[in-house]
Every structure is written in structure tokens, then in C-alpha cells.
Amino acid sequence: MGKTAALLMERAIEHRTLGHLADAAADLEAAYAMDPKLVEARKELALVQLADGKTELALRTINKACANGSSPDFLMARAEIQVARKDYGAALQDCEASFREPTDNVEWYLLRAQLQRRAGKFAECLAGLRDGFTKTGSAVLEEEIVDA
């Protein structure tokens, strides 16, 4: 059986987990070249580039992935990249856009709360944490509410 885009994606994720970022990037680029409809490969490539400290390249890559519409998952990936670039306003915009669809992802609630606090949006931060706790029952979010 030959290489497929799906197999390359799987291997890339394993490479990333092991810290083999160059190998992960190569597999993701090959997966996308094999199947240009596989925009998930571009998102994963942007996250590998971010992990490798290539924030500007990661931003260009995720922006290409988002060019034909952005799912919440892609917007949150871009928010992570924006945080690394210290563009907190853009990161918060992407977070807010991601929450237009329901989510139970605790990490998303935490990132949004962090960015809202940084922007001085304390009431929104507390409301978002309470909403997250109601939807997820997460003890981590409950602790954040106490700390907020």
C-alpha cells in the first residue's frame, strides 16, 4: 500500500508528538500536495511551524487555510499563533468568532478568558467562564471563576 494523504497526516502528527518538527512539516506539505482539499493539513502545518518558533510563517500558512472560510478550530489555531506574535487583539477577535458556534473545549474557554482579562474585559471574562462551566462542568473553569 502506497502513501496516502491520510497516512501522511497520521505520520506527521506522530512526528510532531515526538518533536520531529521538520519531518512533521514535510509530511503535512506532502499530504496537502496530494490532496489540496485537505485544508486540515495546512492548519496542522501552521501549528508545527508555531511549535518550531516560525510565527510569521505559521500565520501565513493558517491565513491560507482560512482563505475559503474558517471553522472555529482554524480560528482558534490562528488565535494561538496571534498570541505567540503578541497580537492579543487579533487573537481575541478570532476567539470571539470561534465561539459563535457551541463548544465544550475547556482550553478555548481558558484562552478566551486570558485574552479578555488582558484587554480589561473582566465582566465578559467572568460571564464566559461561567458559561463554560455550565456547559462543561470543568473543575478547571470553576477554579478560574474563583480566581477571576
Side-chain angles (χ1 to χ4, degrees), residues 5 28 40 59 77 85 117 136:
L28 290 165
E40 184 74 19
L59 181 62
R85 296 177 67 246
R117 276 192 293 254
T136 67

Side-chain angles (χ1 to χ4, degrees), residues 124-147:
E124 292 94 332
C125 172
L126 188 56
L129 288 169
R130 285 183 176 142
D131 177 59
F133 176 70
T134 300
K135 290 179 179 166
T136 67
S138 167
V140 173
L141 292 177
E142 185 176 36
E143 184 67 29
E144 284 293 311
I145 292 168
V146 171
D147 291 344

Side-chain angles (χ1 to χ4, degrees), residues 28-78:
L28 290 165
E29 288 169 352
Y32 185 75
M34 267 186 192
D35 184 0
K37 293 178 187 169
L38 190 63
V39 291
E40 184 74 19
R42 280 221 163 153
K43 180 192 73 130
E44 293 298 326
L45 176 59
L47 293 174
V48 166
Q49 292 164 338
L50 176 62
D52 202 19
K54 299 175 181 175
T55 55
E56 295 305 315
L57 180 58
L59 181 62
R60 287 193 302 274
T61 301
I62 196 67
N63 281 340
K64 287 177 189 172
C66 291
N68 295 326
S70 305
S71 73
D73 194 39
F74 283 56
L75 291 171
M76 289 304 289
R78 187 166 65 187

